[in-house]
Each structure stands twice: as structure tokens, then as C-alpha cells.
Amino acid sequence: MPAARLSFSPAFPVAPVRRRLFGSFVEHLGRCVYGGIYDPAHPSADADGFRLDVLELVRELGVTVVRYPGGNFVSGYRWEDGVGPREGRPVRLDPAWHSIETNEVGLGEFSRWAGRAGVEPMLAVNLGTRGVQEALDLLEYANHPSGTHLSDLRVAHGAPDPYRIRLWCLGNEMDGPWQLGHRTAQEYGRLAAETARAMRMVDPGLELVACGSSHSGMPTFGGWESTVLELALDHVDHISAHAYYAQTDGDLGSYLASAVDMDRTISSVVATADAVAARARSPRRVTVSFDEWNVWHRPSEAPRDDWPRAPRISEDLFTVADAVVAGDLLVTLLRHSDRVAVACQAQLVNVIAPIRAEPVGPAWRQTIFHPFALTARLARGVVLRTELDTPEYDSMRYGRVPLVAAAVTHDADGGELMVFAVNRGRREPVDLTLDLAAVPGYALVEHTVLAEDDLTAVNTREAPERVRPRALPVPVEPAATLPPVSWNALRLRRQ
Ligand code: AHR
């Protein structure tokens, strides 16, 4: 059996476990909002039309921050359409997803939903078809207490308290030719800097995210970040990164190594941001907002020729292999906790989502729900630096890659250590030895695994519990057997 050895020490922390790494994303896309979080016709809906069964699953998932309202959608969105009395809200074309937008849900409804879900809202402004003034108007409506036209409008709309939204995205994927109002790096960098400067004149405490590249395969990747940050370095806190992974051409080996690409993407963006700061003789350390990440089987769908309401778009059914890859992506995000400040799995319900919901039917957990929920619940304290001695394998897409990936978190007060580990190998289990020399008195007490012989197994409406984590027997030795293609959570307690 291949063997790996993991060493770590509380003397070498990476950073605190940032709760904002367990973020998600709700876009006006397909059935994420309408028929997802909101479905007034559903038996479980509350007075506001929110599905309580979905809300319950969102809480169980452990989501901490939710990005809204897009995505590609935001680049053509007029936020004013979604506030005030529902009967007066306009029905519009949404060119981004070729759908009809009824505006039944807008900022007020989302804020109420976020309050009930116990999540921090992360709001995106439209820098596609709009600009500085509209961003300022939205900020005044959302965050100013009262006594001005737009804040009083919010009060008149039934929200006496400001929403106090701290985290804002300056547009979405502005490097992509598919984006409404797509711009060059120079054009976007100027717009982002000016919008940020204006928003900070209203509230210097805002945290602002500039758009990075839509994915690391973009021809402008790197150059885009460099130009944007040269123009906006002093005005923004974070630069975004996005990545979706799929198995292509039956190449499971590369798919299982997707986290290697995410790792390289983060390192490249951080290096670029630091290089810009170095050239500017600036001590600023811009952090990464990985505000769209996931596995996604069909990133591009056939163009539509109709204008449906809340169509079924990207309702992927996720497999066991998908869950292992998604868990591995979370391991990578944790390992980069020093420079990744926010991360949002895209998306939350129905669309590329850990939660599926059917009209008049049930809501259930997809396979990818489980590694997320367990990591969000169990990762506490600080992330520790690790030394991992692991075999490697050849992948077609990424060359030689590690067979095992792992992240370690340590909650010194609670006396708990967590090891999140993935075996990317398709054939054999791996014997993972934990070097506990630096944590005397700790012992392995729990081994939870997500693995199945059938890597294509999925959770469906008919069989919602087909794939779920299982407990494995805990050996006396500080070692664990990681089954082939598995995501594992190993809990150690101070005795
Ligand atoms: O999450 C789905 C879409 O993927 C988003 O709208 C867009 O930002 C990205 O390309």
C-alpha cells in the first residue's frame, strides 16, 4: 500500500481559520433564487416566500457569507427594480441568462433571508452597464441610516435599520467577452478605482473586491490582475479569482488533481499582487476573494432562443468523485488562509449547488454538501503549516501531482486538531501516518470518510441519502487508511 506521512506543529501557524472561507453564492440565475431559496407556492414557505426546508439545509451547510445578486446577472441589473412594493416592480429581460426577471426578490428580501440564514451578505455592484453613481446610490440605500432621499426610501420600504453591508464586489468577471459591458483591464481598472474611491468617501470602512480574471485559462490571466491593481491598489482590499472544474475526455486522473490548478492560481494571483505592490513601493497586501469556485459538469450551455422564467440551468447532479474534488478544493483554500480572505462555493441552491430543491417537492443534500458542511463545522482555530511526504502520479493536464493532499487546523483552547485529507489515487488505499511529535497527548478519535466503490453515485430526489459520510474504525496508531478517491476528516483530541 502506498504510504504518506504528515508533519505539523502548533509553532508554525499559517493563519486563523477564516470563517469567510465557507461562503456561497446566490445569483438570479436559473432556479437559484426563484424555485430555490424563494418559492411562495411551496408548502414549507414562510410569510416572505422563503422555503424553510432550504433555509434549514443552508444553516446545516455552515455557510457564513453569501455573494449576491450575480454573477453575470449583475452586469445588466438595476437594483432599483428589486425594491419597494412588489406590485410596482418591473418585469425585465435578463440578457446574461436569456431569462425573464420578475424582480419579486431584491435587496430587501435577500437581506431578510440572509438574516434568517445567519450569513453575511456580500453585494456586487453593476459595473457592466452602470458606474460610479449607481454604486453610490445603492450604497446610500443599503447602508445610510436615514435622512437622505435613498435611505429614507429604504425606511419607507419597511427597513428602518440599514443593512450595514461591509463586503462589496466591484462588478463581475469584467475580463470576459461574455460579460455585459466587458472592458479592457485598463478601462476596468480605472472604473474600479474610481468606484472604490467614491464608495470609500461615503464609508471608509467598506471592504472592496476588484475583479480578477474569470479563470486561469483566460489569455489575459496575470496581465489583467497586474493592470487592474496598478490602477486600483490603494483602493481595494481583495482581488477576485474564479475557477470551475470538470472531468473532460474521461480523464479522471487530472480531474482528481483539480486542486493543483487552484493552488497554482492562488499563488500566481498573490505573486502578481505583491509584484504590483513592490513596484509601487507599497506595503499593501491585497488578499484573494475566491468568490466563485466549484465543480461544474457543463460550464457552457446551448444558447437559448426563448425567454423563460427561472429555467432549469446547470442543475448538475454531483457524483462521489465530484465531492472528493470539491473537498480537495476546500483543503487548498484552507492551506492558503494567509492570503485567501473570502471564498464562495458557486452556487447555493439548484444551480451548480450543494442543495437541490424541487417545486412542491423535497430539498436534499448533494454529494458535495458533505465535505463542505463537515469542513465548515470542524475547522476551528488556526491552520497549521504542514510537511507532507506523499507519493505522486502523472496527470495529463497538470503533470506530476501529489497523490495525497491535506490541511490541518488546530483549536488549542478546545484541545482539538483536524486533518482534512484526500487520496486522489484511483486504485489503492494510502496509509497516512500522522507525525504527532509536536502535539504530545493528542490521539486520533474519529475518522469520517466520503468514498464509494461507485464513483458515479449521486443523491437524487428518490435516493437523497445514497451518498453520505461514514465513520471508519479508529486505529490505535496515529495513522489512517485513506480509501481510493476519498475525502477524509480525521479528528484528534488532547487526552
Ligand atoms: O456561477 C455561474 C456563472 O459563472 C456566474 O454568473 C459567472 O460569474 C461565472 O462565469
Side-chain angles (χ1 to χ4, degrees), residues 3-7 431-435 478-480:
R5 186 180 177 83
L6 182 68
S7 307
D431 192 22
L432 177 67
T433 299
L434 305 177
D435 173 0

Side-chain angles (χ1 to χ4, degrees), residues 25 27 29 71-72 97 172-173 178 242 244 292 296 346-347 352:
F25 180 26
E27 176 168 6
L29 156 55
N72 296 342
W97 298 107
N172 176 70
E173 294 191 349
W178 58 86
H242 291 179
Y244 294 96
E292 287 187 35
W296 188 0
Q347 299 193 2
I352 349 169

Side-chain angles (χ1 to χ4, degrees), residues 84-311:
R86 276 218 175 105
E87 51 287 3
R89 297 187 192 176
V91 173
R92 301 254 193 213
L93 296 180
D94 162 23
W97 298 107
H98 221 270
S99 305
I100 291 293
E101 172 56 53
T102 62
N103 284 304
E104 276 168 78
V105 172
L107 179 59
E109 288 78 19
F110 176 72
S111 300
R112 279 205 293 286
W113 177 85
R116 272 170 229 176
V119 302
E120 177 187 3
M122 177 187 197
L123 204 63
V125 300
N126 173 358
L127 292 189
T129 59
R130 306 188 112 187
V132 181
Q133 184 60 61
E134 292 88 347
L136 283 180
D137 289 349
L138 175 55
L139 179 60
E140 181 183 322
Y141 181 92
N143 280 8
H144 195 69
S146 63
T148 64
H149 174 65
L150 289 168
S151 58
D152 286 346
L153 197 60
R154 185 201 65 244
V155 175
H157 290 160
D161 294 328
Y163 299 131
R164 297 189 188 88
I165 297 166
R166 190 178 156 80
L167 194 53
W168 296 74
C169 301
L170 302 168
N172 176 70
E173 294 191 349
M174 298 306 301
D175 63 323
W178 58 86
Q179 201 70 210
L180 285 162
H182 160 232
R183 287 167 211 272
T184 65
Q186 185 79 24
E187 289 165 349
Y188 171 71
R190 287 281 300 125
L191 180 58
E194 287 312 313
T195 309
R197 216 163 54 77
M199 290 176 79
R200 286 241 168 96
M201 286 164 83
V202 174
D203 181 354
L206 299 179
E207 267 184 71
L208 302 176
V209 185
C211 292
S213 297
S214 301
H215 59 86
S216 63
M218 293 295 287
T220 47
F221 179 65
W224 172 275
E225 282 77 0
S226 196
T227 305
V228 168
L229 287 178
E230 270 160 20
L231 294 161
L233 182 71
D234 290 335
H235 307 293
V236 301
D237 303 281
H238 315 291
I239 180 106
S240 72
H242 291 179
Y244 294 96
Y245 297 97
Q247 182 176 340
T248 50
D249 305 324
D251 180 7
L252 182 59
S254 296
Y255 181 47
L256 291 168
S258 296
V260 170
D261 180 73
M262 179 186 251
D263 181 72
R264 291 175 188 166
T265 301
I266 296 169
S267 300
S268 307
V269 173
V270 166
T272 306
D274 290 354
V276 172
R279 283 201 297 278
R281 316 273 190 287
S282 166
R284 277 184 81 72
R285 287 295 169 266
V286 170
T287 40
V288 176
S289 172
F290 219 118
D291 44 45
E292 287 187 35
W293 69 267
N294 209 349
V295 289
W296 188 0
H297 296 162
R298 294 163 293 146
S300 45
E301 309 226 346
R304 316 187 74 96
D305 55 8
D306 55 350
W307 291 94
R309 289 182 183 206

Side-chain angles (χ1 to χ4, degrees), residues 348-389:
L348 185 59
V349 188
N350 288 331
V351 182
I352 349 169
I355 299 170
R356 282 291 305 272
E358 281 299 320
V360 203
W364 70 95
R365 303 166 192 81
Q366 293 235 56
T367 59
I368 63 168
F369 183 101
H370 295 293
F372 190 108
L374 284 166
T375 309
R377 179 154 61 83
L378 297 171
R380 299 276 157 203
V382 294
V383 181
L384 299 184
R385 212 189 301 162
T386 53
E387 266 313 310
L388 181 59
D389 187 9

